Each structure stands twice: as C-alpha cells, then as structure tokens.
Amino acid sequence: TKAHDYTKYNNWATINDWVVSISSANANLISRQVIGNTYEGRPMHLLKIGKKTGSTKPAVFMDCGFHAREWITHAFCQWFVKEAVSTYGSDSEMTNLLDRMDFFVLPVFNIDGYEYTWTNDRMWRKTRSRNSGSNCIGTDPNRNFDAGWCTIGASSNPCSETYCGSSIESEIESKNLANFIRSNKSIIKAYLTVHSYSQLLLFPYSYKYGLAADHSELLSVSQGAIAALRSLYGTKYTSGPGASTIYPAAGGSDDWAYDLGVKYSYTFELRDEGRYGFLLPESQIKPTCEETMLAVKYIASHVLKNL
Ligand SMILES: NCCCCC[C@@H](C[SeH])C(=O)O
Ligand SMILES: [Zn+2]
Ligand SMILES: [Zn+2]
Ligand SMILES: [Zn+2]
C-alpha cells in the first residue's frame, strides 16, 4: 500500500494500515477497536484517544466519511488524530481535553463507498448494499437513522441519492454505529459528524422545522465554533438548524443522536462553497484541517466546561 500522508488523500488500505500504526505507536493515548464490519466485510475501526486514567471519562464521538465522495472529511479525521497525539503536552487546550475526556474517532464510516470512489466512481455518495428488486445500489446512510425516518428530504426509491433504505438502520454500517452509541450513551456527551461541502455547522433538527429544546445553547456554541474557525484563515461558515439552514432531511445521525440524549450534536459541512466541491484540491487539506481543529476544540472545551 502507498505511504500515508496527512496532506494527501489516502485510500482505504493506507488508512487501515495507518490506524494500526498510529495506535501501536501511541499506546499511551490511543486504543483501537472494531465496531463491526461493512456490507462488503471491511472492519470499521474506531480509535479512542485520551489519557488512560483507568476510570471511564466523558467522551466526544466523531465520525468521518458518511458519504463516500466527501474525501476532505476522511482527511480531517486522520488529521485530528495526528494533531491530538502530536500536540498533547504542548498545546494546553488539547492536553486538558485529552486528560479529562476521550475522543472516539471513526475515520471512515462508509468504507465500501469510499473504496468505490477510488476504483469506479469518484462521485459515489451512498453505501454499496444491494437493493432487492432493483438494479440500483446503495442507501444514503444519512437518511437511514431513526429520526423521522423517510418522512421528509429523503426518498423511498432505491435509485435516489437520498434513498432512506428498506428500514431504519437497514445498513449494517448504521446499525454498527447506532449500537456503539446506544451502548455508550451515558458517557458520550457530544456527537460530531463530518461532511462536505458548503462551509456550514448544523445542529438539530433537520427532520422538522421546530427548534430543539437546547436550540439557544447549540446556536451560541456553533457561533463560537465558527468564529474560532474563521480566526485562522478567515474562512466563513454559517451555522443553524439543519432544516432551515441547508434543507429538511429526515433520518440523519445527528438528529437521532440528539433525540437519544446526546445534547451537543453537530453536522459539519467542510470546504468549499462549490468551486471545487467534493473535488477539493490536496493543497487545501492542511488549511481546511487546521481551521476545523479550532472549531472541534471549541465545542469539546464547551462540553468539558458544562459537564
Ligand atoms: N442530518 C442532516 C444534516 C443536514 C444535511 C447534511 C448533508 C451532508 Se452531505 C446531507 O446528509 O445531505
Ligand atoms: Zn455528506
Ligand atoms: Zn454535504
Ligand atoms: Zn496543526
């Protein structure tokens, strides 16, 4: 497999090797587990990053690569892990976060789809599961969760890019993620799911226009987070509830996590605003990841202050 490079897009084989090497090389801060396999049988590796204290710590859960073509997101999760271990001990904010919390990082949620974008179709979005009775393949995993499932902004047509699936958590990938979060919901205080593109920081709800109970706090934290992001290179984000800020979309993992009780639930839409879209040049990986680090740290620090 090709050598891993944080400033390039790495294929899954390279990422998979990286998961093993970075966790082995930083056993004091990183542990690795598999939360299940994908439809095509690839292991979904989850990294847990934080100082090992022997006792359970509150945690932030972050996933990347829900949608296969959103390559900058896979790059960000790798960048986050690298930054965490390389700035622990030097960056006071990161050190404090890792001493008192854990970060669960799922670098690639939709592995089958990601592989497919490398081998066949760079613009693939969905999973690669076979739909009975149709020649069309895949479900939109971000319409597949138990949150107003398939009521709005989703399609029951397997050929649609926003196909909600044959049932709630029909995708094994969704089931694996949901099972992990359900089993750990008492410690998971924040859920961050990283997508691209549009430069948005979204929070519940997308399955309805009604405001979340924690709307004002979620809004103010999102405003602080995008201000932190903007402080580095001036990149402008917009934040707000999904339904009114981007479009109504039921079945999302963020809405589901929020209704499960994970209060700080956010969807990131990273760079850019459409010039390159999903084909963001590798030259923008570093700046995109560095600025996004500031937003993630802002949210995590707020969570820590409000435990
Ligand atoms: N849970 C819905 C959050 C808002 C939509 C996010 C975008 C990311 Se590509 C989508 O899933 O269409
Ligand atoms: Zn997406
Ligand atoms: Zn998107
Ligand atoms: Zn850095």
Side-chain angles (χ1 to χ4, degrees), residues 170-189:
S170 61
E171 304 311 287
I172 186 62
E173 294 87 351
S174 307
K175 182 73 79 182
N176 293 337
L177 175 73
N179 283 342
F180 182 85
I181 293 178
R182 274 189 286 262
S183 324
N184 292 279
K185 70 178 188 178
S186 60
I187 63 166
I188 295 173
K189 306 300 177 189

Side-chain angles (χ1 to χ4, degrees), residues 262-276:
V262 181
K263 173 160 76 162
Y264 302 101
S265 184
Y266 290 99
T267 296
F268 281 83
E269 286 267 46
L270 303 185
R271 289 191 191 183
D272 62 9
E273 294 187 285
R275 176 160 184 225
Y276 296 102

Side-chain angles (χ1 to χ4, degrees), residues 4-305:
H4 184 274
D5 186 333
Y6 291 106
T7 65
K8 295 206 179 333
Y9 295 120
N10 301 292
N11 65 25
W12 183 66
T14 304
I15 297 173
N16 204 41
D17 288 350
W18 166 83
V19 161
V20 174
S21 62
I22 195 157
S23 46
S24 312
N26 299 275
N28 61 321
L29 283 172
I30 307 180
S31 61
R32 180 182 78 240
Q33 62 184 297
V34 173
I35 63 168
N37 292 338
T38 66
Y39 179 85
E40 293 177 342
R42 298 180 173 92
M44 293 172 73
H45 286 286
L46 182 69
L47 293 175
K48 178 180 170 186
I49 302 134
K51 186 183 174 200
K52 290 183 173 51
T53 64
S55 57
T56 308
K57 293 149 70 186
V60 174
F61 186 102
M62 179 166 73
D63 59 51
C64 294
F66 245 71
H67 292 132
R69 63 191 178 193
E70 300 167 11
W71 283 16
I72 186 60
T73 74
H74 311 67
F76 176 67
C77 269
Q78 292 164 69
W79 193 278
F80 179 87
V81 176
K82 181 260 296 178
E83 285 282 299
V85 298
S86 62
T87 63
Y88 181 79
S90 58
D91 178 296
S92 56
E93 188 178 21
M94 182 63 83
T95 304
N96 191 37
L97 287 169
L98 297 179
D99 281 347
R100 297 166 63 190
M101 299 182 81
D102 288 318
F103 286 84
F104 288 107
V105 179
L106 183 65
V108 187
F109 171 87
N110 178 8
I111 310 168
D112 301 346
Y114 187 55
E115 269 296 277
Y116 196 71
T117 60
W118 279 79
T119 56
N120 294 70
D121 177 359
R122 175 68 181 81
M123 293 302 280
W124 191 259
R125 171 181 167 97
K126 302 192 289 181
T127 63
R128 291 292 302 163
S129 58
R130 297 315 181 262
N131 294 309
S132 60
S134 172
N135 290 325
C136 294
I137 289 175
T139 286
D140 182 349
N142 212 25
R143 304 295 186 276
N144 194 229
F145 287 80
D146 190 6
W149 182 74
C150 225
T151 54
I152 186 171
S155 168
S156 52
N157 180 346
C159 298
S160 167
E161 287 285 39
T162 57
Y163 176 47
C164 58
S166 54
S167 64
I168 289 165
E169 294 173 22
S170 61
E171 304 311 287
I172 186 62
E173 294 87 351
S174 307
K175 182 73 79 182
N176 293 337
L177 175 73
N179 283 342
F180 182 85
I181 293 178
R182 274 189 286 262
S183 324
N184 292 279
K185 70 178 188 178
S186 60
I187 63 166
I188 295 173
K189 306 300 177 189
Y191 174 70
L192 311 177
T193 184
V194 189
H195 290 254
S196 77
Y197 60 92
S198 293
Q199 295 173 200
L200 301 172
L201 183 52
L202 307 167
F203 51 87
Y205 287 104
S206 293
Y207 72 68
K208 65 178 177 181
Y209 283 102
L211 298 185
D214 303 293
H215 174 81
S216 54
E217 186 183 0
L218 290 172
L219 178 63
S220 65
V221 171
S222 71
Q223 289 167 334
I226 65 178
L229 187 152
R230 182 173 172 178
S231 71
L232 194 55
Y233 303 114
T235 307
K236 292 194 182 75
Y237 270 58
T238 303
S239 72
S244 56
T245 308
I246 185 168
Y247 36 63
S253 59
D254 56 354
D255 287 357
W256 169 78
Y258 182 76
D259 283 344
L260 186 71
V262 181
K263 173 160 76 162
Y264 302 101
S265 184
Y266 290 99
T267 296
F268 281 83
E269 286 267 46
L270 303 185
R271 289 191 191 183
D272 62 9
E273 294 187 285
R275 176 160 184 225
Y276 296 102
F278 302 117
L279 309 181
L280 196 68
E282 290 184 331
S283 59
Q284 293 198 44
I285 293 175
K286 183 179 186 308
T288 302
C289 292
E290 289 289 14
E291 67 190 12
T292 308
M293 284 302 301
L294 303 180
V296 171
K297 286 161 72 174
Y298 183 94
I299 295 167
S301 293
H302 178 87
V303 173
L304 188 52
K305 274 180 243 145

